[in-house]
Amino acid sequence: MKLLDAIFLSAQMPEDSVICAREPFHQSTEAVIVQFAEDFSIPPQVTQEGYVYFLETDGVSELLEISQKRNSRETKAEFVFYYASWDAYPAFYNDLEDVATQSQ
């Protein structure tokens, strides 16, 4: 599946699920959603296929809630990509209007 799709499926995944993707992270990057191994590592077969840790699905869901003010799927995804890469909110986070503000 594409990373963009994995991001928006994350809320439907079981607890302890993690998104793994091939780098660099962008909308069309190949991704998989897997369960952590018993030792909370990425299953070896996933890393052998070239996937790396992206984010836990719970974390993605939280980021999507934080980015609620962002109105497009792509912008929300870019927010999550940036956070996964840099462990910080992107500079554009404060530059976009809230959805409530846009409808006034």
Side-chain angles (χ1 to χ4, degrees):
M1 83 177 71
K2 300 298 181 197
L3 185 53
L4 179 67
D5 299 324
I7 286 171
F8 290 100
L9 287 173
S10 62
Q12 301 169 28
M13 294 298 112
E15 199 171 311
D16 293 330
S17 294
V18 61
I19 298 174
C20 295
R22 293 193 170 111
E23 293 182 303
F25 303 139
H26 55 81
Q27 294 181 22
S28 60
T29 298
E30 288 296 317
V32 293
I33 299 175
V34 299
Q35 296 286 298
F36 278 123
E38 286 185 21
D39 64 354
F40 293 101
S41 65
I42 304 299
Q45 69 272 21
V46 174
T47 56
Q48 290 169 359
E49 293 176 16
Y51 293 96
V52 298
Y53 174 86
F54 179 71
L55 285 172
E56 295 173 42
T57 55
D58 291 344
V60 171
S61 295
E62 288 176 25
L63 288 168
L64 290 175
E65 285 180 30
I66 291 169
S67 68
Q68 273 296 341
K69 66 192 225 176
R70 313 304 170 231
N71 58 358
S72 77
R73 245 173 87 99
E74 291 76 16
T75 301
K76 289 179 184 181
E78 289 299 326
F79 178 82
V80 175
F81 300 153
Y82 189 93
Y83 188 88
S85 297
W86 301 102
D87 196 24
Y89 299 145
F92 69 81
Y93 175 75
N94 293 316
D95 295 339
L96 300 175
E97 295 180 17
D98 288 336
V99 172
T101 305
Q102 291 175 354
S103 62
Q104 293 178 0

